[in-house]
Amino acid sequence: MTLIKSISGIRGTIGGPTGDTLNPLDIVKFTSAYATFIRKSGKSDSNTIVVGRDGRISGPMVKNIVCGTLMGMGYDVINIGYATTPTTELAVRMSHSAGGIIITASHNPRQWNALKLLNNEGEFLTKEDGNEVLRIAEAEDFNYADVDHLGKCTVDNSFDERHIQSVLKLDLVDTEAIRKAHFKVCVDSINSVGGLILPHLLDALGVEYKFLNGQCTGDFAHNPEPLEKNLGGIMNEVANGGYDLGIVVDPDVDRLAFIQEDGKMYGEEYTLVTVADYVLDHVKGATVSNLSSTRALRDVTEKHGCKYYAAAVGEVNVTTKMKEVGAVIGGEGNGGVIYPESHYGRDALVGIALFLSSLAQKGCKASELRASFPNYFIAKNRIDLQPTTDVDAILAKMKAKYSSEKDVQVTDIDGVKLDFPTKWVHMRKSNTEPIIRVYSEASTMEEADALGKQMMDEILRMV
């Protein structure tokens, strides 16, 4: 069993001994630490914290403990019930709350759950703030409210509709063009909250749809990560004909992947690329993605005469860079679209609306739209090491080796990334395991994998 404590929250499997799984005692401890941090930070005068959850089976248990603990800390709770991650983020802003907790393990399997922590802007905590929450939790430096100052809990189910309305009001969401296109789509919402909110979004856009795994039971029909190997069901359904597009979301609806009208994967790396191209068609400005995302975003950005920037892996790192450079669009290659005109968070609803707007305005098939972008392939490998291995020293040696190489750009803000003229490789250590992740990209999968394997061999010779 597993319990992972990090700057972004607490994540683990349900059931088992304390300190080794996501259990009631650790949920209380971490929620108390978060509430203590929010109060000490003094960033908001509000005394309310928003709590939303995805459809996981363990959700009611975790939610009840979280809400009760926050009330015990003297906070009023706005319980928004079943909610996507982006809905919860927007709910914090819309309610002017002091923070929010999203109960979701994102793309992890059904036995997992997690607490994702938000600040008063509805955004993930910075590294420094996350570390402070961990410190408070370790010290158990809590002070609970007396009987006259306990918080109260109210239920507010209005935020799904408010989220949808905020998407429809975005200037670049062309609702008229989408309605005129008469799209028919198939959606796999993995038996979680996407099955609750996406029908209402599609109805508002005038899109005809069929849902697979649309019941919010939390009993996921397949591995919930939206990768091709997990999506045979919807790919076959779309391939049988009659659909313009397949739409896939993860359990908390912040990641988004598409299936072409021919049943083939559009490529989750190209979700952001396509949306960015559409945005840049209308508004010029910088773009941002993380170091492990496809080079196609850089190519598309430069085609529009704009500047691309790379950030360290992690949503908060991407949003921080986006604010720094004033990016008009950004995100992550895992299907995460971050559109500042809406909010600084990955949002599949925004991604769907902008993608459909692009498809409708261009009047083409999904496969034709995909073919209009540069074609790259990413190979993902890993090196398992001993816990005593000095990973930082190994990466430093790789940086030193290639820093003097001509035609190689070296970036070290997150591990080491080597940018060659026609390909790249990114090597970074895991925060939770003694491994080095080796991601590489080239114009063919064979070349990408060969580059990754070359670097792995070089690293192993250093161990």
Side-chain angles (χ1 to χ4, degrees), residues 82-129:
Y82 286 125
T84 74
T85 284
T87 304
T88 310
E89 292 169 345
L90 283 167
V92 172
R93 281 178 41 188
M94 291 174 173
S95 63
H96 306 289
S97 291
I101 296 179
I102 310 164
I103 301 169
T104 174
S106 192
H107 62 272
N108 289 107
R110 66 196 288 275
Q111 69 269 29
W112 288 78
N113 214 328
L115 310 183
K116 292 185 177 181
L117 310 177
L118 304 174
N119 62 20
N120 63 306
E121 297 293 330
E123 299 168 15
F124 289 116
L125 302 185
T126 64
K127 181 178 180 180
E128 294 73 22
D129 289 346

Side-chain angles (χ1 to χ4, degrees), residues 12-30:
T13 51
I14 300 296
T18 57
D20 192 39
T21 62
L22 189 66
N23 60 81
L25 288 179
D26 283 308
I27 295 169
V28 169
K29 180 178 176 179
F30 208 84

Side-chain angles (χ1 to χ4, degrees), residues 119-349:
N119 62 20
N120 63 306
E121 297 293 330
E123 299 168 15
F124 289 116
L125 302 185
T126 64
K127 181 178 180 180
E128 294 73 22
D129 289 346
N131 281 329
E132 178 61 10
V133 173
L134 292 175
R135 186 201 66 77
I136 294 170
E138 188 65 26
E140 297 192 13
D141 185 16
F142 319 135
N143 186 18
Y144 295 100
D146 62 38
V147 69
D148 294 315
H149 295 91
L150 296 173
K152 62 181 184 297
C153 183
T154 58
V155 175
D156 189 338
N157 295 316
S158 68
F159 288 100
D160 273 9
E161 182 58 28
R162 293 168 72 176
H163 185 180
I164 291 169
Q165 289 304 314
S166 74
V167 172
L168 298 177
K169 290 176 182 177
L170 294 171
D171 288 342
L172 294 188
V173 173
D174 194 340
T175 54
E176 183 178 355
I178 294 172
R179 289 192 182 101
K180 287 181 178 178
H182 300 292
F183 289 125
K184 181 179 180 182
V185 303
C186 184
V187 185
D188 185 345
S189 58
I190 194 61
N191 295 126
S192 192
V193 290
L196 300 177
I197 192 170
L198 292 183
H200 298 291
L201 174 68
L202 296 173
D203 284 337
L205 292 171
V207 176
E208 184 182 351
Y209 54 83
K210 175 181 178 178
F211 269 72
L212 304 180
N213 310 313
Q215 300 299 312
C216 188
T217 63
D219 197 4
F220 305 145
H222 53 77
N223 185 308
E225 190 164 14
L227 302 177
E228 181 173 359
K229 63 183 180 181
N230 303 324
L231 302 177
I234 187 171
M235 292 174 71
N236 289 335
E237 175 70 23
V238 175
N240 286 335
Y243 297 100
D244 298 293
L245 190 69
I247 299 173
V248 182
V249 294
D250 66 341
D252 66 325
V253 199
D254 62 354
R255 288 176 60 176
L256 173 64
F258 294 108
I259 312 297
Q260 297 173 175
E261 79 289 342
D262 56 7
K264 296 179 180 178
M265 284 292 293
Y266 190 86
E268 66 169 353
E269 287 284 338
Y270 285 83
T271 298
L272 174 59
V273 173
T274 304
V275 172
D277 181 62
Y278 172 71
V279 170
L280 293 173
D281 274 338
H282 296 81
V283 180
K284 302 305 179 189
T287 67
V288 176
S289 65
N290 68 41
L291 288 169
S292 286
S293 298
T294 180
R295 184 178 281 186
L297 180 61
R298 185 201 69 179
D299 295 350
V300 164
T301 303
E302 292 178 349
K303 178 194 74 172
H304 285 278
C306 299
K307 178 73 172 174
Y308 164 78
Y309 296 87
V313 174
E315 182 173 331
V316 68
N317 297 318
V318 174
T319 57
T320 298
K321 190 68 175 181
M322 290 177 68
K323 293 175 184 178
E324 177 188 323
V325 302
V328 296
I329 187 71
E332 299 180 302
N334 61 9
V337 173
I338 302 172
Y339 186 46
E341 285 298 307
S342 175
H343 63 118
Y344 280 101
R346 295 182 301 180
D347 191 331
L349 278 76

Side-chain angles (χ1 to χ4, degrees), residues 431-446:
N431 293 324
T432 57
E433 304 172 88
I435 66 173
I436 296 177
R437 302 191 190 280
V438 182
Y439 288 9
S440 49
E441 182 178 68
S443 57
T444 68
M445 181 57 78
E446 292 74 19

Side-chain angles (χ1 to χ4, degrees), residues 24-76:
L25 288 179
D26 283 308
I27 295 169
V28 169
K29 180 178 176 179
F30 208 84
T31 303
S32 300
Y34 168 73
T36 300
F37 163 77
I38 290 294
R39 182 153 282 134
K40 286 183 176 180
S41 71
K43 293 180 179 178
S44 173
D45 294 330
S46 172
N47 195 52
T48 62
I49 291 178
V50 173
V51 177
R53 73 175 183 93
D54 71 11
R56 291 171 186 273
I57 295 169
S58 59
M61 180 272 288
V62 179
K63 178 204 69 177
N64 289 338
I65 295 169
V66 167
C67 291
T69 302
L70 291 173
M71 293 163 65
M73 292 295 297
Y75 273 101
D76 294 331

